[in-house]
Amino acid sequence: MGEPSVFCQIISGAISAEKIYEDDLCIVIEDRAPQAPTHLLIIPRKPLVNLFDAKSDDKVLLGHLMWVAAELGRKLALEGFRLVVNNGRSAGQTVFHLHVHLLADQHMPEQGLAQ
């Protein structure tokens, strides 16, 4: 197995990062290259490479990540937000540890998303 992902290193404390939120299943940090005024990463502590690695017993974890997104939206009083999961290199995934991008505070039209 290769070197732990940057997210595993943040979770373990080997790399420092300000945590916006954390619990026993996940952490949330700001994206270091934000694509929106609010750009958070919701990262499970379990090191799944991507959604393809998720098994049936990961359903609770995956649902929890969605709940955390909603909870952050409420706590930050976001008017709305977009969630993005890049699944695989061809989809733009660059860190191979499952994570959910929460993007907010800018207009994000739906037009063009499916192109």
Side-chain angles (χ1 to χ4, degrees):
M1 187 164 144
E3 185 177 321
S5 74
V6 66
F7 294 157
C8 283
Q9 293 176 60
I10 290 169
I11 290 166
S12 74
I15 295 176
S16 65
E18 182 179 348
K19 295 174 184 140
I20 306 300
Y21 173 91
E22 70 178 306
D23 62 26
D24 60 330
L25 296 178
C26 70
I27 67 167
V28 179
I29 61 173
E30 291 183 349
D31 193 295
R32 68 179 184 171
Q35 302 298 305
T38 298
H39 188 164
L40 304 176
L41 302 176
I42 305 167
I43 307 163
R45 291 182 184 275
K46 182 176 181 177
L48 297 169
V49 171
N50 56 37
L51 285 173
F52 287 145
D53 271 8
K55 305 293 184 228
S56 181
D57 61 345
D58 293 315
K59 291 177 188 177
V60 170
L61 171 62
L62 297 176
H64 182 72
L65 300 178
M66 298 297 107
W67 178 86
V68 168
E71 186 67 5
L72 288 167
R74 288 186 288 271
K75 285 185 177 182
L76 298 173
L78 299 175
E79 185 176 323
F81 57 85
R82 177 172 288 162
L83 299 178
V84 176
V85 177
N86 299 321
N87 194 71
R89 191 174 310 278
S90 66
Q93 186 176 4
T94 58
V95 177
F96 293 91
H97 182 128
L98 176 68
H99 56 287
V100 178
H101 296 260
L102 184 152
L103 302 130
D105 294 325
Q106 76 179 24
H107 179 67
M108 292 178 274
E110 189 172 351
Q111 181 180 8
L113 281 180
Q115 295 179 358

